[in-house]
Amino acid sequence: MARIVVLVGMMGSGKTTVGKRLASRIGCRFVDTDDLVVAAAGKPVRAIFEHDGEPEFRRLESAALVQALSSGDDLVVAAAGGTVLSEANRAAMREHAACVVWLDADVATLGQRTARGAHRPLIDDDPQAKLATLDRERRALYESVADARVDTAGLDVDEVVSAAAAALAKVRAS
């Protein structure tokens, strides 16, 4: 059976950056479900939202997660922030992932980190307020699927990778 680690968390929590380094550290391939969505749609995330709507994005997001979880490869998967909104996605992570790590951060930190990217249509207009709303809506869902939680606020990437690797080792040992 493949060894799959799934990273969940809000946009800006560090899933992609940490995921790439964690994959290298534990000898796995890295997959970002947003990249799979973009490849399947043939257009950027923002264009999917603008032209096809959020429901189509969520459908593609779910298909990308299933694709990653059923690859048969040892993987670190950065799951798009909203992946946890679907009960089917949460069930798939629980069933197929060896470990789900929630990368958590406070809304102020997320706001600073997401200010650098233009591909985040859900936080247009008032990023801090929208991030706060999304965080309230999703926090319990991340917690429900996570085997481990890493608070990324105030940590550099290497510290987060080390904390995620330690959480993974702890889950494997139990």
Side-chain angles (χ1 to χ4, degrees):
M1 183 168 150
R3 174 180 60 159
I4 299 174
V5 177
V6 178
L7 302 179
V8 297
M10 289 282 291
M11 60 184 88
S13 63
K15 298 179 302 286
T16 299
T17 303
V18 169
K20 288 176 183 176
R21 292 193 191 176
L22 180 62
S24 176
R25 183 170 177 164
I26 65 173
C28 293
R29 197 167 58 86
F30 172 76
V31 173
D32 188 321
T33 61
D34 277 342
D35 292 342
L36 297 176
V37 166
V38 168
K43 54 187 151 187
V45 168
R46 179 168 292 283
I48 298 167
F49 269 83
E50 289 173 357
H51 300 123
D52 307 316
E54 186 174 352
E56 176 61 7
F57 176 80
R58 297 293 173 210
R59 186 190 70 74
L60 292 166
E61 179 181 71
S62 293
L65 179 67
V66 168
Q67 179 185 347
L69 293 175
S70 63
S71 75
D73 295 337
D74 289 349
L75 295 176
V76 171
V77 178
T83 302
V84 296
L85 295 172
S86 161
E87 172 54 40
N89 289 346
R90 295 191 306 272
M93 285 186 259
R94 286 184 204 105
E95 182 178 341
H96 297 287
C99 183
V100 177
V101 179
W102 172 21
L103 300 183
D104 192 13
D106 60 83
V107 172
T109 299
L110 296 171
Q112 292 169 349
R113 293 176 183 167
T114 58
R116 295 175 242 152
H119 65 284
R120 303 177 193 277
L122 286 178
I123 61 168
D124 286 345
D125 303 324
D126 188 353
Q128 284 297 119
K130 290 191 177 179
L131 283 167
T133 298
L134 291 171
D135 184 66
R136 279 191 304 275
E137 291 170 353
R138 296 176 181 179
R139 181 161 287 280
L141 299 174
Y142 294 132
E143 185 174 12
S144 74
V145 76
D147 296 303
R149 176 187 165 270
V150 175
D151 185 349
T152 68
L155 300 180
D156 67 28
V157 174
D158 290 330
E159 291 171 322
V160 176
V161 171
S162 292
L168 176 60
K170 186 175 180 179
V171 168
R172 284 185 184 154
S174 60

